[in-house]
Amino acid sequence: MDIRRRPRRQPAPPELVAAYRAGASLDRIAADTSRSYRDVRTALIDAGVILRSPKAVVAPCPPGMISSYEHGTFIRQLAAKYGNSYNVTRTMLLNAGVTLRPRGAVPYMIGER
């Protein structure tokens, strides 16, 4: 009976694990090490690394969005104006460090308080 065994995989090099834990993406590590995405992913999993979930990249706020929001424009209005969804617009503002108004709050003009 001829039983073929899979060759044992080499353990993930410590550099792979360190790069991933430092925040590098699987794509970036694969490109930097001339390995395939699948090879990098498999090596990290075999090394016991828990993989991060992929994150969607959100573009920075377009010019004028922050000042419009700070002058009372609602997020829904900004989303319609800039062609984004409510959630993407909200995320853009949060990533830019804007403190959001409470939900349902009546907008006010800066300096009117």
Side-chain angles (χ1 to χ4, degrees), residues 64-107:
M65 181 183 280
I66 295 171
S67 63
S68 293
Y69 181 77
E70 289 174 342
H71 283 89
T73 306
F74 292 108
I75 294 176
R76 291 202 188 284
Q77 294 169 324
L78 292 172
K81 178 179 179 181
Y82 292 99
N84 298 313
S85 70
Y86 173 89
N87 286 333
V88 168
T89 303
R90 184 177 183 280
T91 301
M92 285 177 169
L93 290 169
L94 288 172
N95 289 348
V98 175
T99 302
L100 300 182
R101 297 184 295 268
R103 286 184 58 139
V106 177

Side-chain angles (χ1 to χ4, degrees), residues 16-78:
L16 281 180
V17 176
Y20 186 76
R21 289 192 173 143
S25 68
L26 296 177
D27 286 324
R28 170 58 37 212
I29 295 170
D32 290 347
T33 60
S34 300
R35 298 174 100 165
S36 70
Y37 174 93
R38 186 174 182 170
D39 185 37
V40 170
R41 184 178 186 281
T42 302
L44 290 172
I45 291 171
D46 289 347
V49 175
I50 297 173
L51 301 181
R52 300 181 293 267
S53 60
K55 296 180 183 176
V57 177
V58 177
C61 288
M65 181 183 280
I66 295 171
S67 63
S68 293
Y69 181 77
E70 289 174 342
H71 283 89
T73 306
F74 292 108
I75 294 176
R76 291 202 188 284
Q77 294 169 324
L78 292 172

